[in-house]
Amino acid sequence: MIVIYNMFIEYIRISYHRLIWVLLFACVFFVGFFVVTKNRNRKDLVLKVVFSLACSFIFVMTLFSRRVAEYEISLIPFLSYYKAYKLNNSELWLQIIMNIAMYIPIGFALPGCFARMNKLWKVLALVLICSIGIEVIQYIFRIGYSEVDDVIDNMFGTLIGYSLYVIFERCCRKLKKES
């Protein structure tokens, strides 16, 4: 676990210069989300900021932070999990964890930002379409590896985030009733 933590810290150091781009795209996304949606209360604004930052982070890290590589695609589900376990490869475990973690804020903020995204299946369907789109773009433009495991990881992260959102909403409603 310490090895994965150290690799994560090193990855953050390498990616530090991309922070400007993440913030720039987040501002653009936020303005777009602000114009498109009608809710303007404090909670909705915070969720829009979280959603904008998460979208821009995913956008920059998956499409602009990778080197051009050869065409490579993996359509075998859970192959990266098998390789990570079998080879005891900390770098693969880190990639799996980061693919999951990147989408937790999306699953959390998406239903709060957009009233139509109030069902789990809608959130998962949208994330599935976007994840497949990212993998196809990565394959076409030779940036990173296109793996079905990335889509699975993204869906799992979204599911965790959505679950946290449901718990958060229940707690907010309970506090509101008590006061």
Side-chain angles (χ1 to χ4, degrees):
M1 196 62 165
I2 293 172
V3 173
I4 292 174
Y5 173 77
N6 289 335
M7 289 175 68
F8 174 74
I9 295 301
E10 185 60 30
Y11 184 78
I12 295 298
R13 274 192 219 131
I14 292 169
S15 300
Y16 183 71
H17 69 280
R18 294 184 182 97
L19 182 62
I20 299 290
W21 290 107
V22 169
L23 294 175
L24 179 69
F25 282 117
C27 289
V28 171
F29 289 146
F30 179 77
V31 169
F33 297 141
F34 190 80
V35 168
V36 170
T37 58
K38 295 177 182 171
N39 298 340
R40 302 280 195 261
N41 64 39
R42 190 176 319 144
K43 182 182 99 177
D44 292 327
L45 289 176
V46 170
L47 287 172
K48 284 180 181 77
V49 168
V50 169
F51 188 67
S52 299
L53 285 169
C55 286
S56 66
F57 183 78
I58 291 167
F59 187 67
V60 170
M61 296 308 286
T62 59
L63 298 178
F64 294 109
S65 68
R66 307 221 173 140
R67 295 182 184 160
V68 174
E70 296 180 22
Y71 283 100
E72 200 160 326
I73 191 166
S74 172
L75 298 175
I76 303 169
F78 303 106
L79 182 61
S80 63
Y81 289 81
Y82 175 77
K83 286 180 180 179
Y85 175 75
K86 193 73 171 170
L87 302 172
N88 196 22
N89 188 326
S90 299
E91 187 174 334
L92 280 176
W93 282 120
L94 178 64
Q95 289 174 8
I96 291 167
I97 291 167
M98 287 181 63
N99 276 331
I100 293 169
M102 278 195 309
Y103 278 80
I104 291 173
I106 298 293
F108 183 82
L110 189 60
C113 289
F114 302 99
R116 290 186 177 176
M117 290 290 153
N118 59 352
K119 302 282 186 209
L120 176 61
W121 72 268
K122 291 179 181 182
V123 172
L124 289 177
L126 180 62
V127 169
L128 177 66
I129 291 166
C130 292
S131 294
I132 291 171
I134 287 171
E135 295 303 316
V136 168
I137 290 169
Q138 285 179 338
Y139 180 73
I140 291 170
F141 292 104
R142 300 179 179 191
I143 45 178
Y145 299 109
S146 297
E147 298 178 287
V148 72
D149 285 354
D150 289 352
V151 176
I152 292 168
D153 296 342
N154 298 346
M155 299 296 286
F156 186 57
T158 303
L159 182 61
I160 292 169
Y162 186 86
S163 300
L164 293 172
Y165 176 77
V166 169
I167 292 167
F168 173 74
E169 280 296 311
R170 286 183 184 159
C171 290
C172 286
R173 276 188 242 128
K174 190 174 181 178
L175 288 172
K176 210 174 199 179
K177 279 184 181 179
E178 290 175 0
S179 60

